[in-house]
Amino acid sequence: MRAGHIFGMIVLQADETIEQDMTRLLPDTVALLVSRVPSGTAVTPETLDAMRPELQQSASLFPRSVQMTSVGYGCTSGSAQIGTDDVTRLIKNGVDTTHVTNPITALCAATRALKVRNLGILSPYVQAVSEKLCHVIETAGLQVVDFASFNEEQEERVVRISPASIMAGALEIAASPDVEAIFISCTNLRTLDIIEEVEAKSGKPVLTSNQLLAWHMLTLAGLRHDIPYGQLWQA
């Protein structure tokens, strides 16, 4: 492969969004290889945890002759349920890569770069999944000061939540004076085209799962972030 860096992405079987987003977010100097991991049609703690024994196998399906610069696990709620350390361990057991990241690890790195701590979170998840996500984020040292969810269990419906609805929810959260940044969680939500408008209307940084993954994979590789999707790229 001619690209200077090779990134890998482990994508949920049910995800329809992240691959398209990554083609927009990553520069031409990066080649992206994708592997899929079996995932349930419903997003519940049980279906998310069921990915744990599959992650290493999915990582092992990347070409063995390729040295990856960075591999991302494309599931925010799965990273919370399985645990970010276990995600890293399982992927490194399956593929030769210098770095591993996921949306939660990327979120923590981004908040440090932006010097923010108090988050407003918008998610599509049911209560049990959302509670786990917020707990993991707060355990990492961040503060969830406002939260809202679409309470959608079926993955195929998550991708069909309209950008207009996502924008309205994000702006409602951003209206809280305690919120320093808005995190829109889920790699299957279509968020790229609303980031800058929400930032312009709210005056606050907007962080989304796919934007965060691309940013952190580039950061770990020591590459510049010059793609204009939000304030994060200028951090």
Side-chain angles (χ1 to χ4, degrees):
M1 302 184 75
R2 295 182 180 179
H5 292 271
I6 301 173
F7 288 0
M9 183 66 61
I10 297 177
V11 177
L12 269 60
Q13 179 181 355
D15 197 306
E16 300 177 38
T17 303
I18 190 170
E19 287 163 291
Q20 299 172 62
D21 282 0
M22 285 297 165
T23 62
R24 297 170 63 183
L25 287 161
L26 296 176
D28 292 340
T29 54
V30 171
L32 180 67
L33 300 179
V34 174
S35 180
R36 292 261 172 176
V37 61
S39 60
T41 57
V43 184
T44 68
E46 294 75 23
T47 60
L48 293 169
D49 202 53
M51 282 188 279
R52 184 191 303 269
E54 304 287 350
L55 269 179
Q56 182 172 329
Q57 174 65 17
S58 294
S60 73
L61 295 177
F62 288 115
R64 294 180 181 178
S65 60
V66 172
Q67 166 65 45
M68 300 282 192
T69 302
S70 188
V71 173
Y73 172 45
C75 186
T76 317
S77 54
S79 298
Q81 185 67 35
I82 296 168
T84 56
D85 289 342
D86 280 353
V87 167
T88 297
R89 175 181 58 81
L90 290 165
I91 290 175
K92 284 203 165 187
N93 284 346
V95 65
D96 184 9
T97 181
T98 306
H99 304 287
V100 174
T101 190
N102 61 81
I104 293 177
T105 299
L107 173 67
C108 293
T111 55
R112 290 192 296 269
L114 289 165
K115 297 180 173 58
V116 297
R117 182 172 179 268
N118 295 336
L119 299 178
I121 298 179
L122 178 65
S123 95
Y125 313 125
V126 295
Q127 183 176 354
V129 175
S130 294
E131 287 177 350
K132 179 69 172 182
L133 173 68
C134 290
H135 172 73
V136 169
I137 287 173
E138 292 196 319
T139 300
L142 299 170
Q143 187 70 35
V144 179
V145 297
D146 202 355
F147 179 87
S149 176
F150 294 101
N151 292 307
E152 180 54 67
E153 183 178 74
Q154 296 302 310
E155 188 72 67
E156 65 181 14
R157 296 177 183 169
V158 168
V159 69
R160 286 162 182 85
I161 297 172
S162 71
S165 296
I166 299 168
M167 183 183 302
L171 287 171
E172 185 174 344
I173 287 173
S176 170
D178 295 327
V179 168
E180 296 177 309
I182 304 103
F183 173 42
I184 306 175
S185 179
C186 187
T187 61
N188 207 13
L189 286 176
R190 300 192 189 278
T191 60
L192 283 193
D193 292 324
I194 69 167
I195 291 173
E196 291 184 298
E197 186 170 351
V198 174
E199 288 190 341
K201 290 180 175 178
S202 69
K204 298 176 181 181
V206 174
L207 306 171
T208 75
S209 292
N210 294 345
Q211 169 221 43
L212 285 164
L213 267 177
W215 174 84
H216 199 219
M217 292 171 79
L218 289 167
T219 298
L220 292 170
L223 300 175
R224 290 184 57 193
H225 325 123
D226 55 359
I227 302 173
Y229 288 99
Q231 297 179 35
L232 178 58
W233 299 96
Q234 283 74 55

